[in-house]
Amino acid sequence: MTAVKVTVIGAGSVVFSLGLVKDMCLTEGLKGSTVHFMDINEERLDVVYQLARRYAEDLGADLKLARTLKRAEALQDANFVINTATATHNEYFMRRRREMVAGHGYFYGGTGMPEFHNLKIMLDVAQDMEKICPDATILQAGNPVFDGTTLMTRETGIRVCGLCHGHYGYRRVASMIGLDPDKVTWQAPGLNHNIWLTQFIYEGQDAYPLLDRWIDENIEKYWEDCKDTGVPAQWSPAAIHQYKMYGLFPIGDTPRGAGWWYRSDLDTRTRWYGAGGGGDTPEGRDRILKGKEEKYAQMKAAAYDPDVRPVSLFGDQKTSEQHIPIIDALVNNHEYRAQVNVRNNGALPGIPDDVAVEVPAIVNQMGIQPIRVEPLPRKIMLECILPDWLQMEQGLEAFRSGDKSMMLYGVLDSPQTRSYDQAARVLDALFDIEPNEPMAYIEDIHDHYHWPKNWDLPA
Amino acid sequence: MTAVKVTVIGAGSVVFSLGLVKDMCLTEGLKGSTVHFMDINEERLDVVYQLARRYAEDLGADLKLARTLKRAEALQDANFVINTATATHNEYFMRRRREMVAGHGYFYGGTGMPEFHNLKIMLDVAQDMEKICPDATILQAGNPVFDGTTLMTRETGIRVCGLCHGHYGYRRVASMIGLDPDKVTWQAPGLNHNIWLTQFIYEGQDAYPLLDRWIDENIEKYWEDCKDTGVPAQWSPAAIHQYKMYGLFPIGDTPRGAGWWYRSDLDTRTRWYGAGGGGDTPEGRDRILKGKEEKYAQMKAAAYDPDVRPVSLFGDQKTSEQHIPIIDALVNNHEYRAQVNVRNNGALPGIPDDVAVEVPAIVNQMGIQPIRVEPLPRKIMLECILPDWLQMEQGLEAFRSGDKSMMLYGVLDSPQTRSYDQAARVLDALFDIEPNEPMAYIEDIHDHYHWPKNWDLPA
């Protein structure tokens, strides 16, 4: 039993933070630990703090809680830092940006401009950690996990592990075809949001033939049944088409980010992702935003209402998030099998050592130990993994060099861009978009990027 | 002085073959050598043979000539094989294909479908060489040099060297700004058709500042002067824009194959490549075809007209092609500085060993010795070299595996493709296009590629 200090950056994500608190409370080995919440939004921070405090009471847990608006204060003496902060992956900002770029001919924000603000947050946090708590491990929850984990491992000496829950898609695959997910032996390595079911074993047998039979016999009917309600991305026509192309089932977020030709406009999305085009559409995100607003209003009310106990809202069962089990494994040697994003170092063949790959890992007191997996099929490497890798490298080099023409290249490289002038215009508009609240805490994008020497755009 | 046997595959390219003959005749060290012409077209073969025979007479050269329609016969006892054969890079076929795919919405044949026929020719030749003349060196002249040289070095034990003349673009750069090209020390490594002027030295000084000054002072006026006649790609607005983006001058064919946004339609091409959109347009190629037809008619007449001496047509000065100087260097130790496409093995950092890179080389009796060059700037690697490499690998894997869905991916990956259905339709049309003459000698594309198991296209 080891008491640790866990710092949560961007703690205002209420559901996420309360899930962490619950998992901490329900983990015997972490009794006496401290959770330090940090957020730039005082109201949200207080909502989380009040709910967490009362939740720990509900669960009778020995958990210390603290809160701050100052990152440096939160990082002091931290053993683990969970970073869920984001600037641009905010539903309000995404809607504003989406609507703005639609005026330049881009559907669903697909301009291709590389990330800046969230990478900058991640690097700022990791660099602060180097100064304040250099022995702490960062568990990166905010996106982009792939790019950000790679960046932090390259640019700092901090131990970095990116986490996602997309790999649980294997459970959805198993359940659908009538298998108990708990009895499945599986592997789905790759890059974050780009992972492939390389092993799928049930009761000692390869379960792919069962999957094939289920698809042959049921998929058309399933889609027909769902034609008004929509299908999950994991079982969408896009996912099945990817499977037919690649021979391995794409897991979790993989079909959501698949080839542009599944996603170029609403009609196309409806064909490949079912009714309404799936969740990744303007309407889908508006629904998510509405849901989040309602959830937050409910949370806020509950935080200050003595008659509502948090346990009635959040329950008393552990979440499926990996953060706390990983911490418990590292400090108490309670071995845990995780799916992590870490510096490759040969775990996934065919990808450079200094790139963050998503692979299974054994976690115990010896550390987070990635399992070296078999190479992915060459076709998947060439058409899915390496293009994604290359795009990540382009974005990170743009970030590292501050070369604005690399941001322009990213836009030109978008399958939705139709002309050089369109790209140049939307790039200007993206640089000049009105900042949101978190951006006040991040370097101005105009200060970070500059055109190359002697640059002049031919008219 | 060493007599060798040089076999020319696809010898019916009259101007190319006669250039080789001239260079052979004018190379003292190759006296007594044999040139064996092979082509599938009997008429063209005879035209070349007759002209070459009389040309050697004109030059008083001791050169033996032979001809055959049979590849195996031509390869017998060959020391060098110069392969200029092509199936699809034929002006008539390209026009037919261009017009066909235009009906599917593609400008200038830009469908993205990976190469098949020319790769197959190259591999067939190299595999025949393994059986018939395993110690011979192949000098690959026909395109795609990058893909084909890589393929042959991977799949056979033959010594392979791909050759191009695009690197002489450095001479055009030097001349334009008033420098004597013969006095320039230069380096322009990369991948074939994707090379960058990393060194540009004149009279002991870096000549880039001279280039910059010339551009600042003269480029606008130059373009204005050329506004009716057109500009060479080497000095086009596209080339200058690439230079501004990348900080190194793109050489030879590099600006021709630059980003899609310079080339998506005729108006765009006119803006970036000058009047008429440069040579790489339907009209431009029609002009080239017409010129070739006229040239061939003239050659054919000359071949059988005792009053026309070939020397009056082809002159008595060596060409700038590298084939014969390389042969002379290899067999007679007459050291030659070449620009070659060979298996990388570390010559160009950041590219796998088994990929053909274009680098300078010292050639003498010890062999073709690539010079290890400095790494290209990371931005050029990420935005120009690696995307090109990845596309090559995708095409070669499609070729190796025979997986038709990888051909479809190539089409989907074309920046001109607007939808999945368009890609599927044009792919079918490309597979079913009426074959031309050389294709009768190559495996049928329908036999080579098959859809993956269980493939069905969602309607």
Side-chain angles (χ1 to χ4, degrees):
Chain A
M1 207 163 69
T2 315
V4 295
K5 174 174 171 180
V6 177
T7 295
V8 184
I9 306 286
S13 311
V14 186
V15 176
F16 181 79
S17 291
L18 272 291
L20 287 177
V21 165
K22 175 167 61 171
D23 290 344
M24 289 284 282
C25 291
L26 298 174
T27 301
E28 186 66 21
L30 297 176
K31 200 181 267 191
S33 292
T34 301
V35 176
H36 203 153
F37 296 119
M38 183 268 157
D39 202 280
I40 57 171
N41 184 300
E42 195 162 4
E43 181 192 287
R44 284 181 163 266
L45 186 63
D46 196 60
V47 168
V48 164
Y49 179 77
Q50 299 303 340
L51 282 171
R53 189 178 52 74
R54 298 172 55 228
Y55 197 12
E57 284 172 16
D58 287 355
L59 296 172
D62 176 8
L63 186 69
K64 300 181 183 67
L65 294 168
R67 60 180 157 164
T68 176
L69 295 166
K70 297 196 170 60
R71 187 161 69 214
E73 187 183 316
L75 295 178
Q76 204 66 52
D77 304 318
N79 303 108
F80 295 93
V81 177
I82 298 174
N83 185 6
T84 178
T86 182
T88 61
H89 295 188
N90 163 287
E91 296 292 340
Y92 290 101
F93 181 79
M94 287 195 292
R95 181 167 65 184
R96 194 149 58 77
R97 186 174 57 185
R98 198 159 63 223
E99 289 171 358
M100 186 275 281
V101 301
H104 292 269
Y106 291 88
F107 173 69
Y108 196 60
T111 62
M113 186 171 86
E115 183 64 63
F116 166 66
H117 295 96
N118 295 332
L119 291 180
K120 188 68 177 136
I121 292 176
M122 293 185 211
L123 190 56
D124 286 350
V125 168
Q127 287 175 335
D128 279 359
M129 287 174 65
E130 280 191 306
K131 291 182 215 114
I132 301 168
C133 53
D135 296 327
T137 294
I138 186 164
L139 303 177
Q140 178 62 40
N143 277 314
V145 162
F146 173 40
D147 314 58
T149 304
T150 301
L151 176 68
M152 290 186 286
T153 57
R154 286 182 184 175
E155 303 291 330
T156 76
I158 294 295
R159 269 192 300 272
V160 184
C161 176
L163 295 174
C164 186
H165 33 237
H167 60 283
Y168 289 124
Y170 88 89
R171 299 181 67 85
R172 203 186 266 273
V173 174
S175 306
M176 179 68 104
I177 68 172
L179 308 181
D180 176 355
D182 289 332
K183 293 189 182 158
V184 167
T185 300
W186 64 283
Q187 213 167 61
L191 307 176
N192 185 236
H193 296 176
N194 194 345
I195 59 174
W196 301 85
L197 192 64
T198 52
Q199 300 287 344
F200 187 37
I201 295 166
Y202 191 76
E203 295 185 338
Q205 301 289 319
D206 179 12
Y208 261 111
L210 304 178
L211 178 57
D212 290 338
R213 195 189 319 149
W214 190 90
I215 291 171
D216 280 350
E217 292 173 0
N218 300 289
I219 196 73
E220 296 290 345
K221 178 168 183 321
Y222 171 71
W223 288 335
E224 179 63 25
D225 291 347
C226 298
K227 85 174 173 337
D228 299 321
T229 54
V231 294
Q234 186 63 77
W235 279 104
S236 63
I240 299 299
H241 190 261
Q242 279 196 301
Y243 174 42
K244 302 248 172 187
M245 275 186 96
Y246 296 112
L248 295 180
F249 217 73
I251 296 297
D253 298 294
T254 312
R256 291 175 60 196
W260 65 265
W261 53 90
Y262 304 120
R263 307 184 280 126
S264 48
D265 56 38
L266 191 58
D267 285 348
T268 304
R269 286 200 57 97
T270 301
R271 168 177 168 188
W272 292 104
Y273 295 95
D280 297 313
T281 59
E283 294 68 25
R285 295 314 299 202
D286 283 347
R287 274 195 305 278
I288 289 170
L289 174 55
K290 191 150 173 291
K292 285 190 173 179
E293 280 178 334
E294 287 167 6
K295 190 82 184 172
Y296 179 68
Q298 183 197 14
M299 297 292 157
K300 189 173 156 186
Y304 307 105
D305 180 349
D307 293 338
V308 181
R309 293 310 306 183
V311 72
S312 70
L313 295 171
F314 301 105
D316 60 0
Q317 299 299 308
K318 283 186 188 175
T319 73
S320 59
E321 294 284 355
Q322 305 184 95
H323 307 78
I324 306 307
I326 286 176
I327 293 172
D328 187 35
L330 287 169
V331 300
N332 293 314
N333 207 26
H334 293 151
E335 192 164 291
Y336 177 68
R337 160 82 180 254
Q339 175 97 348
V340 298
N341 291 268
V342 291
R343 192 180 199 275
N344 186 15
N345 288 343
L348 182 68
I351 290 289
D353 280 349
D354 65 348
V355 170
V357 295
E358 181 161 321
V359 286
I362 296 299
V363 189
N364 58 30
Q365 215 165 336
M366 293 189 287
I368 296 170
Q369 302 147 65
I371 291 171
R372 192 197 57 77
V373 297
E374 291 298 304
L376 286 166
R378 187 147 173 80
K379 187 179 179 186
I380 291 181
M381 290 300 287
L382 290 172
E383 295 183 0
C384 304
I385 299 290
L386 290 172
D388 206 6
W389 162 72
L390 190 52
Q391 199 167 48
M392 178 280 290
E393 295 287 8
Q394 289 160 350
L396 285 198
E397 180 62 15
F399 181 83
R400 192 199 61 76
S401 64
D403 182 337
K404 192 168 176 180
S405 76
M406 293 194 76
M407 301 298 263
L408 176 61
Y409 177 89
V411 179
L412 288 166
D413 201 36
S414 163
Q416 291 193 36
T417 298
R418 294 286 171 267
S419 75
Y420 183 88
D421 293 338
Q422 180 196 20
R425 280 192 302 263
V426 83
L427 184 75
D428 279 345
L430 285 163
F431 267 68
D432 294 341
I433 195 170
E434 189 193 336
N436 67 0
E437 185 189 4
M439 290 182 191
Y441 297 82
I442 308 167
E443 183 188 8
D444 190 304
I445 190 169
H446 295 88
D447 293 336
H448 192 87
Y449 294 96
H450 299 281
W451 294 109
K453 191 166 57 76
N454 300 330
W455 181 265
D456 48 7
L457 294 177
Chain B
M1 208 163 69
T2 314
V4 295
K5 173 173 170 179
V6 177
T7 294
V8 184
I9 306 287
S13 311
V14 186
V15 175
F16 181 79
S17 291
L18 271 291
L20 288 176
V21 165
K22 175 167 61 172
D23 290 345
M24 289 285 281
C25 291
L26 298 174
T27 301
E28 187 65 20
L30 298 175
K31 201 180 266 189
S33 291
T34 301
V35 176
H36 203 153
F37 296 119
M38 184 267 158
D39 202 280
I40 55 169
N41 184 299
E42 195 162 6
E43 181 192 287
R44 284 182 163 265
L45 186 63
D46 196 60
V47 168
V48 164
Y49 179 77
Q50 298 304 340
L51 282 170
R53 190 179 52 76
R54 297 172 56 226
Y55 196 14
E57 282 172 19
D58 288 355
L59 297 171
D62 176 9
L63 186 69
K64 299 182 184 65
L65 295 168
R67 60 180 158 166
T68 177
L69 296 165
K70 297 194 167 62
R71 188 161 69 215
E73 187 184 315
L75 295 177
Q76 204 65 52
D77 304 318
N79 303 108
F80 295 93
V81 177
I82 298 174
N83 186 6
T84 176
T86 182
T88 60
H89 296 186
N90 162 286
E91 296 293 339
Y92 290 100
F93 182 79
M94 286 195 293
R95 181 168 64 183
R96 195 149 59 76
R97 187 175 57 184
R98 198 160 64 222
E99 288 170 359
M100 187 275 281
V101 302
H104 292 270
Y106 290 88
F107 173 69
Y108 196 60
T111 63
M113 186 173 84
E115 184 63 63
F116 166 65
H117 295 96
N118 295 332
L119 292 179
K120 186 69 177 139
I121 292 176
M122 293 186 212
L123 190 56
D124 286 350
V125 168
Q127 287 176 335
D128 279 359
M129 287 174 65
E130 280 191 307
K131 291 182 214 114
I132 300 169
C133 52
D135 296 328
T137 295
I138 187 163
L139 303 177
Q140 177 62 41
N143 276 316
V145 162
F146 173 40
D147 314 59
T149 303
T150 301
L151 176 68
M152 290 186 287
T153 57
R154 286 182 184 174
E155 301 293 329
T156 76
I158 294 295
R159 270 192 299 272
V160 184
C161 175
L163 295 174
C164 187
H165 32 237
H167 60 283
Y168 289 124
Y170 88 89
R171 299 182 67 86
R172 204 186 262 273
V173 174
S175 306
M176 180 68 106
I177 68 172
L179 308 182
D180 176 358
D182 289 333
K183 293 190 184 159
V184 167
T185 299
W186 64 283
Q187 214 168 64
L191 308 176
N192 185 236
H193 296 176
N194 193 344
I195 59 175
W196 301 83
L197 192 64
T198 51
Q199 299 288 344
F200 187 37
I201 295 167
Y202 191 75
E203 295 185 338
Q205 301 289 320
D206 179 13
Y208 261 112
L210 304 178
L211 178 57
D212 288 339
R213 197 192 316 150
W214 190 91
I215 291 171
D216 280 350
E217 293 173 0
N218 300 289
I219 195 74
E220 296 290 344
K221 178 167 182 326
Y222 172 70
W223 288 335
E224 180 64 25
D225 291 346
C226 297
K227 86 172 171 339
D228 299 321
T229 54
V231 294
Q234 186 62 80
W235 280 103
S236 62
I240 299 299
H241 190 261
Q242 279 195 301
Y243 174 42
K244 302 248 173 189
M245 273 186 97
Y246 296 112
L248 294 180
F249 217 71
I251 295 296
D253 298 294
T254 311
R256 291 175 60 196
W260 66 265
W261 52 89
Y262 304 120
R263 307 184 281 127
S264 48
D265 56 38
L266 191 58
D267 285 348
T268 304
R269 287 201 56 97
T270 301
R271 167 177 169 189
W272 292 104
Y273 294 95
D280 298 314
T281 59
E283 294 68 25
R285 295 315 298 200
D286 283 347
R287 274 196 306 277
I288 289 170
L289 174 54
K290 191 151 172 291
K292 284 190 175 181
E293 280 178 336
E294 288 167 5
K295 191 83 183 169
Y296 180 66
Q298 182 196 11
M299 297 293 157
K300 189 174 156 185
Y304 305 106
D305 181 348
D307 293 338
V308 182
R309 293 308 307 184
V311 72
S312 70
L313 296 171
F314 300 106
D316 59 0
Q317 299 299 308
K318 283 186 187 174
T319 73
S320 61
E321 294 284 355
Q322 305 184 96
H323 307 79
I324 305 307
I326 286 176
I327 293 173
D328 187 37
L330 288 170
V331 300
N332 293 313
N333 207 28
H334 292 151
E335 191 163 292
Y336 177 69
R337 161 82 180 255
Q339 175 96 347
V340 298
N341 292 268
V342 292
R343 192 180 200 273
N344 185 17
N345 288 344
L348 183 68
I351 290 289
D353 280 350
D354 65 347
V355 170
V357 294
E358 182 161 322
V359 286
I362 296 299
V363 189
N364 58 30
Q365 215 165 338
M366 293 190 287
I368 296 169
Q369 302 148 66
I371 292 171
R372 192 197 57 76
V373 299
E374 292 297 304
L376 286 166
R378 187 150 172 79
K379 187 180 179 185
I380 291 182
M381 289 299 288
L382 290 172
E383 296 183 359
C384 304
I385 299 290
L386 291 171
D388 206 6
W389 162 72
L390 190 52
Q391 200 168 48
M392 179 278 291
E393 295 286 8
Q394 289 160 350
L396 285 198
E397 180 63 13
F399 182 83
R400 192 199 62 76
S401 64
D403 182 337
K404 193 167 175 179
S405 76
M406 293 194 76
M407 301 298 263
L408 176 62
Y409 177 89
V411 179
L412 288 165
D413 201 36
S414 163
Q416 291 194 35
T417 298
R418 294 286 171 265
S419 75
Y420 184 88
D421 294 337
Q422 179 197 19
R425 280 193 302 263
V426 82
L427 185 75
D428 279 344
L430 285 163
F431 267 68
D432 293 341
I433 195 169
E434 189 193 336
N436 66 1
E437 187 190 1
M439 290 181 190
Y441 298 81
I442 308 166
E443 182 188 9
D444 190 305
I445 190 169
H446 296 88
D447 294 336
H448 192 88
Y449 294 96
H450 299 282
W451 293 110
K453 193 165 55 76
N454 300 331
W455 181 265
D456 47 8
L457 295 176

